[in-house]
Amino acid sequence: MQTQMPGSLPDYQIDPYRLAEDDLKDMFDDIRLELITNTTQEELQPISTYYLDGQGKAIRPILTILMARAINYHKGRNVLSHSQRQIAMISEMIHSSSLLHDDVIDQSDIRRGKPSVNVVWSQKKVAMAGDYILAVACRMLSRLQNDEVTITISQIVTDLVQGEFMQLGSKETENERFAHYLTKTYRKTASLIANCSKAVAILAEVDDHMIEMAFQYGRNVGLAFQLVDDLLDFVASSEALGKPTAADLKLGLATAPVLFACERYPELNAMIMRRFQEHGDVKRAFELVHKSNGLEQTRFLAKKHCAEANKIVQSFAKSPYQKALIIMADLVINRMK
Ligand code: FPP
Ligand code: MG
C-alpha cells in the first residue's frame, strides 16, 4: 500500500481489508482484462469472468498480499512487487477456475446469491471456461520466469484435483475417515492459500525457514477456513451464505461436524457409508449433528489451527501487515458467510 508507512498504525486501527485495499483496488479489472484479451471467442469472456466480479470475499488475494507485505517488511521493504501482485491475481483465478468446475460437478443452483454459472451456460462451456481461466493463469505464471514459484503454484492444481477426487466416492474405514477428511481438506482448500503464501515468500528472496513459515501460516489458516465452511453448512442461513445449507449432506459428504457427531451417535456410520442416500438420512444426520457437540469440536479444531497460524506469524517483524495476518486468522474463525 503506497499511502501507509509500516509501523504507523496503532493496534486498534488495523483493518486487514483497508490495508490490502490499494493493492486490491484494480485487481479484478486486471484479471478480467487478461481473460478478455486472451481470447477471440466472445462467449468465453462472460463465462470466465462470471465469478470474477469483485463481489466475492477475495480471501485468497488478501491473504497473499498481506503475507507478501509482512515478509517484505521483515526484509526492510515497503513495496509489493509486480510478481507478488501477479501471484495474488493467480490465486483468485485458480480459485475461480475451480469454482466453475465445482459447480458443474455439484450441479449447483446458486452461488453468492446469484444463479450458478452452470445454470446460465451449458456444462460443457462452463468446464472449458474453467480450463481457459487456468490456462491464462499459467501464462501469467510463466511470465514470472521463476521455476521454484512455477512448481509451487502448479502443486495447487494437482492438490485441487486430488482433493476433489478424494471427495467423489471413497470408502475409507471408520479409523481412516478423519485423516482422509483432513488430507482432502488440505488439498481442496488449504494448499491454495499455503502455496500462494509460499510463492510470495520465495519472490521476497527470504531464507528457507521463512518460506516454510509462510507456507505453514497459509496451511493452518486454510484448514481453519474450510473447517468453518463445513460448520457454516450446518448453522448459517442460506441467505447469509448465498447458497443452500446442509449442501454437503445432500451431496453425500461427511465433513468434520458429522465425523465428530459419530462418536456420540454411531448410527451415523451407516448413513455415512451410504452417503446419506436413504430417505430421511439428511434430516436425521442434520439433527444428530446439532444434538451432538460436533459443531463445538469443529470450531475448536479450527481455532487450534488459527492459534498455530498466529504463533507462526509472531516470529515475523512487527508490522501492520503482520498484525493484519493475525486478525485475518480471527476473522476466518468468526465469519458468518
Ligand atoms: C468448492 O467446494 C470447491 C473447491 C474448493 C475445489 C474444487 C476443485 C475442483 C473441481 C478440481 C478442478 C480444479 C481446477 C482448478 C481445474 P464445495 O463444493 O465444498 O464448496 P461450495 O459449497 O462453495 O460449492
Ligand atoms: Mg460445490
Side-chain angles (χ1 to χ4, degrees):
M1 171 178 188
Q2 290 91 39
T3 52
Q4 202 73 57
M5 287 303 290
S8 64
L9 278 175
D11 280 8
Y12 62 88
Q13 273 184 7
I14 290 174
D15 174 348
Y17 290 91
R18 283 210 53 201
L19 265 185
E21 202 173 32
D22 283 0
D23 294 324
L24 210 61
K25 193 162 56 73
D26 302 319
M27 195 170 283
F28 284 90
D29 286 342
D30 293 347
I31 295 175
R32 282 196 295 270
L33 195 66
E34 289 281 355
L35 292 170
I36 287 164
T37 52
N38 273 292
T39 177
T40 52
Q41 295 297 308
E42 271 184 24
E43 213 181 1
L44 262 182
Q45 299 172 349
I47 311 176
S48 61
T49 56
Y50 189 67
Y51 289 140
L52 291 159
D53 55 2
Q55 298 302 306
K57 293 187 280 290
I59 187 110
R60 291 152 186 88
I62 290 173
L63 285 170
T64 305
I65 288 166
L66 292 174
M67 178 57 76
R69 284 196 171 273
I71 288 187
N72 292 354
Y73 184 96
H74 194 85
K75 286 225 28 180
R77 282 192 230 123
N78 190 33
V79 279
L80 182 77
S81 72
H82 170 76
S83 303
Q84 289 174 324
R85 185 171 184 272
Q86 291 293 109
I87 297 295
M89 287 168 66
I90 290 168
S91 74
E92 194 65 6
M93 292 172 78
I94 297 177
H95 174 57
S96 202
S97 165
S98 81
L99 292 184
L100 263 58
H101 287 98
D102 183 69
D103 281 348
V104 169
I105 295 167
D106 289 350
Q107 299 182 351
S108 165
D109 300 317
I110 182 164
R111 179 181 292 285
R112 298 179 188 162
K114 66 180 188 179
S116 302
V117 64
N118 52 307
V119 172
V120 185
W121 291 279
S122 75
Q123 296 196 1
K124 287 180 189 176
K125 286 181 178 172
V126 170
M128 284 187 285
D131 295 339
Y132 170 69
I133 301 174
L134 201 54
V136 175
C138 286
R139 193 185 155 101
M140 290 161 63
L141 182 61
S142 64
R143 278 198 225 121
L144 303 183
Q145 298 191 357
N146 184 317
D147 289 347
E148 213 186 328
V149 168
T150 304
I151 293 167
T152 301
I153 298 295
S154 304
Q155 184 62 43
I156 298 169
V157 185
T158 314
D159 286 336
L160 280 171
V161 173
Q162 289 191 97
E164 201 63 18
F165 243 81
M166 287 176 81
Q167 191 170 283
L168 273 183
S170 55
K171 283 270 178 279
E172 66 283 352
T173 65
E174 234 175 285
N175 290 340
E176 295 161 344
R177 234 182 247 147
F178 212 84
H180 183 274
Y181 166 79
L182 287 179
T183 306
K184 181 204 79 176
T185 301
Y186 169 72
R187 289 176 171 169
K188 196 181 130 172
T189 307
S191 169
L192 205 169
I193 299 172
N195 282 301
C196 287
S197 282
K198 179 176 171 178
V200 291
I202 295 170
L203 289 165
E205 297 177 347
V206 287
D207 63 27
D208 287 351
H209 175 71
M210 192 84 181
I211 293 173
E212 180 61 17
M213 294 294 99
F215 176 86
Q216 289 301 339
Y217 171 87
R219 188 182 75 89
N220 280 290
V221 168
L223 289 173
F225 183 84
Q226 188 59 47
L227 283 162
V228 172
D229 216 61
D230 294 344
L231 179 81
L232 289 175
D233 201 41
F234 285 91
V235 297
S237 69
S238 52
E239 289 78 31
L241 288 181
K243 59 187 182 186
T245 51
D248 291 332
L249 290 176
K250 289 173 199 157
L251 286 168
L253 305 178
T255 57
V258 185
L259 298 179
F260 281 128
C262 239
E263 289 162 19
R264 188 175 294 175
Y265 299 106
E267 67 182 274
L268 280 164
N269 278 312
M271 291 188 228
I272 292 173
M273 292 311 279
R274 58 179 183 253
R275 294 178 75 88
F276 312 104
Q277 292 295 303
E278 258 178 38
H279 182 71
D281 277 357
V282 168
K283 188 168 176 284
R284 179 79 184 134
F286 194 83
E287 284 165 6
L288 291 177
V289 165
H290 278 274
K291 272 170 73 180
S292 76
N293 58 1
L295 297 168
E296 288 84 347
Q297 283 175 285
T298 303
R299 189 175 288 282
F300 183 77
L301 184 58
K303 279 186 176 169
K304 231 174 86 177
H305 283 293
C306 279
E308 190 57 38
N310 287 345
K311 207 172 102 194
I312 291 163
V313 170
Q314 298 292 348
S315 65
F316 291 12
K318 299 259 174 295
S319 74
Y321 312 109
Q322 178 245 17
K323 296 244 168 59
L325 286 171
I326 293 171
I327 295 168
M328 281 306 284
D330 288 341
L331 291 178
V332 159
I333 291 291
N334 294 314
R335 74 195 172 99
M336 302 301 288
K337 63 174 194 168

